Amino acid sequence: MSRTSFVTTTAALCLAACAAVAQEPSSTLLKLPASLGHDIGAPFLEMPQPQALLVGFKVSFGKEKEQPVVKSLQPIYRAGMKRFLGAVQGEVQEPTRTVEARSGYAVGGLYGMGIVRISGFEIEFMKVQGGGLDIHHGYKSGWLGGKNSVGGVVKLAATGKPILGVFGRSDTVLRALGLIEAGSVFQPGPVDARMTSAAAWPGAVRLLPLIDPARDAVLGRWRMRDGALVCADNVQAARLQIPYEPPEEYDFRTVFTRTEGEQTVGQLFSQDEKPALWVMGHWCNSCFGFEMVKGRSANNNPLTVWTPHCLGNNRVYASVLQVRKSGARAFLDGRLMNEWKTDFSDASRQKLWKLPNERALGLVSDRVVTVFHSVDVVEITGKGKRLCSPEGTAYTANGWKLRVSLVAEKAVFTLGEPVHFFFKVFNCATQDLQVMEGGDYRNQFGRPDSFKVQVAHEDGIPIPVTDARYSMGGFIVPRQIPMNGSYEFSLFLPHWMTITKPGIYTMTAKRRLEISPFKPRGVWPTKEETSIVDAEASTRFEVLPLDKVKMGEIIAERAQVMFGRNSDAAEKAAKELAAINDERAIKHFSRAVVESSYSVKFTAVTALAKFNNDEALAALKKAASDPDNNIRHCAAVSLSQSAHPKAKEALLALWQDKNRGVRLTALHALGKMQSAKSLDMIRTMTEDADLMVSGEAERYLKLRTQPVEKQGVQTSPRQP
């Protein structure tokens, strides 16, 4: 067949595939799959109109922080006889490489690696057939670019649906990448007049009259103007807490106008004490969504709806959330935009959006100026609660009024469940304040040891506080306490003590607070500006008997979050999982050793030390071969602490590791042994190129070879 025939055939196939997908609605609302990469950089979304098939990329590669990275990516499309290029994402670094499908084929999927940057990828090309792609007939491009040392290969698309565009994030490099498949177009529901008509809300609770911006603003400059609530600041995460806790089921409606900016307007809501968020114009005005859904943010979960222009400025919108025990539905101007079917066990909220009272409703105006004309609630099941002043003990510092309280993440939990407590400092003053934090966390647990924490059973018997082993200070930083907002210190119960029996307990936490006026970043308060408050707060909680089934569910839930795409949530879940003494957690830690980010992997390796189990030992041996020096050192320390009978053998195998800390840990183990072989190994290590290692080896050699009666009292070597 001639080249002309090939081109003609390819054009016909492309036209057929594009014609098939062109039957979809012309709406630009899209529901997209998960992407590869991280939520940093400027977002992009490209889907040419009229529709075309993605057939390749023009790409360049480089390095960032000594790590391989895709510097730039430019899609190549084909529609009939026409071949054209999309927009360049990232910054081009010569030379570039063009990878394009053979005649009759198109991009069907992609396999990539990357966490904070895209390191490299492989394209799967599939044969164009009828209205789709043939998954059984195709070929791969081979790996393009580099491979990072953490995380695995992520699969994008490869379902046989035509690829019509790309989305992701970029700055000077490619940060995230996803593929837009045919069938991604989302058609909102028909207009429901009840959602837009004021007459449909006759029994609503009017929330605007309850709001005092000076009291209720958490972040940003909020004001009442002509009967409307205005957020007049283009600041990140500007939000306001409405002094109202909703009932079990309700409709939450706001009528608003975004007047400046291209970012997020949102509604903070909760169901049965589970906080969540509905956002509009998120990710640079490109998506609608709920968050967090199974630990994933609004721009990267199965409910995300994408469109190039979510909201227009200076236009009035009506947003309604229908919150029920079975889930939530979101309407915009009477059209159903999203539905979340859930019991809210998978719901959470990023720290960025926290409210002083997470059960309360709230409003978000993130980096935009927004006018909220009305805010109402219709109570469906149960009665809502109007809130008064914040809870806690009142303190005064330099005339600034504060309230300090201690709140449990859960007031009732099962024995062995990892639970956080929050020491909350609420600012009742008429200006932003700050409190100093830090200088106290460099210890075995990373806990804030400037706190004095006591927990006592209802019988009056106190629980012993776990020794943190050492205290080496740490950095001190000022933390903002917004006017009518709060700052929370986290106290993770397992890091302070171990509760061994069910019952009612009281926790009391004390800390000296250094309070001063809020300063710009880098400006420190003077001694004269700082007031000292010795604050104390208490709370009661109940511990139920151990429930193995419930604990299994907790382990599975924490593991799911640990392997999620939200790095902060993953680190928190890893810490919580590490505090659970249950062998069912081992398989998750073993997986984390291979797949997770550095911080999660480090936590997993540390936790594996407490399990006298073959699977745990195998995971530690795997970690001992990790390319990262710190992970190998952590694995060596965990092997030295493990009770497994073969752990010492695995540790001694590392005595010639390239990392000094690993060699020292193995040396300390050799120093406790009395065999002739261990003495020979110590003697060899006296010639180590590192002076610290050779010096320690000489010390051990001297202790082993001098007469016993002259050795005196020997203290155990300190683990590095």
Side-chain angles (χ1 to χ4, degrees), residues 570-642:
E571 291 175 17
K572 179 176 180 287
K575 182 175 75 172
E576 292 168 346
L577 198 60
I580 299 175
N581 293 311
D582 191 309
E583 289 194 346
R584 288 175 290 183
I586 294 175
K587 65 179 182 180
H588 303 299
F589 291 135
S590 299
R591 178 185 167 191
V593 166
V594 178
E595 297 183 13
S596 293
S597 64
Y598 171 82
S599 58
V600 172
K601 185 183 296 188
F602 194 94
T603 301
V605 174
T606 302
L608 286 165
K610 64 186 175 185
F611 296 108
N612 184 0
N613 174 287
D614 289 346
E615 185 182 4
L617 178 64
L620 286 176
K621 291 168 74 173
K622 178 72 175 177
S625 63
D626 193 275
D628 188 280
N629 288 336
N630 292 329
I631 296 296
R632 294 201 312 282
H633 185 197
C634 181
V637 173
S638 290
L639 286 169
S640 73
Q641 297 170 348
S642 173

Side-chain angles (χ1 to χ4, degrees), residues 21-99:
V21 298
Q23 300 304 314
E24 299 171 351
S26 59
S27 168
T28 54
L29 293 173
L30 304 169
K31 279 205 168 182
L32 302 179
S35 62
L36 165 69
H38 201 275
D39 295 350
I40 55 177
F44 64 86
L45 187 151
E46 179 178 270
M47 189 173 72
Q49 295 291 337
Q51 289 171 334
L53 293 182
L54 180 68
V55 294
F57 296 104
K58 186 176 181 181
V59 62
S60 69
F61 303 96
K63 285 195 173 182
E64 183 185 61
K65 296 183 178 179
E66 301 304 315
Q67 295 296 317
V69 65
V70 177
K71 285 288 293 179
S72 68
L73 180 135
Q74 185 175 21
I76 304 172
Y77 299 98
R78 190 181 298 146
M81 295 289 291
K82 183 182 178 183
R83 173 192 181 272
F84 59 95
L85 298 176
V88 175
Q89 306 300 336
E91 292 184 357
V92 176
Q93 178 174 305
E94 297 294 345
T96 61
R97 181 175 177 183
T98 299
V99 185

Side-chain angles (χ1 to χ4, degrees), residues 111-132:
Y111 302 83
M113 294 185 73
I115 296 180
V116 297
R117 62 187 70 84
I118 307 299
S119 303
F121 57 86
E122 181 177 49
I123 305 169
E124 182 174 7
F125 296 106
M126 297 180 183
K127 187 175 182 180
V128 180
Q129 189 170 41

Side-chain angles (χ1 to χ4, degrees), residues 94-222:
E94 297 294 345
T96 61
R97 181 175 177 183
T98 299
V99 185
E100 190 169 352
R102 300 170 190 163
S103 180
Y105 288 79
V107 174
L110 186 145
Y111 302 83
M113 294 185 73
I115 296 180
V116 297
R117 62 187 70 84
I118 307 299
S119 303
F121 57 86
E122 181 177 49
I123 305 169
E124 182 174 7
F125 296 106
M126 297 180 183
K127 187 175 182 180
V128 180
Q129 189 170 41
L133 304 177
D134 188 346
I135 62 174
H136 301 296
H137 291 84
Y139 66 97
K140 293 184 178 179
S141 65
W143 193 264
L144 305 170
K147 294 186 178 182
N148 55 298
S149 59
V150 294
V153 175
V154 175
K155 174 184 174 182
L156 301 178
T159 62
K161 296 179 181 178
I163 308 300
L164 307 179
V166 296
F167 68 100
R169 279 183 176 256
S170 66
D171 39 41
T172 58
V173 303
L174 188 64
R175 297 292 180 187
L177 179 63
L179 302 178
I180 302 175
E181 298 179 279
S184 298
V185 174
F186 168 71
Q187 182 72 6
V191 174
D192 185 339
R194 294 172 300 172
M195 299 297 152
T196 58
S197 171
W201 296 73
V205 179
R206 309 300 177 188
L207 298 179
L208 276 185
L210 305 181
I211 295 173
D212 177 357
R215 177 196 64 204
D216 300 323
V218 178
L219 191 62
R221 186 161 55 94
W222 298 74

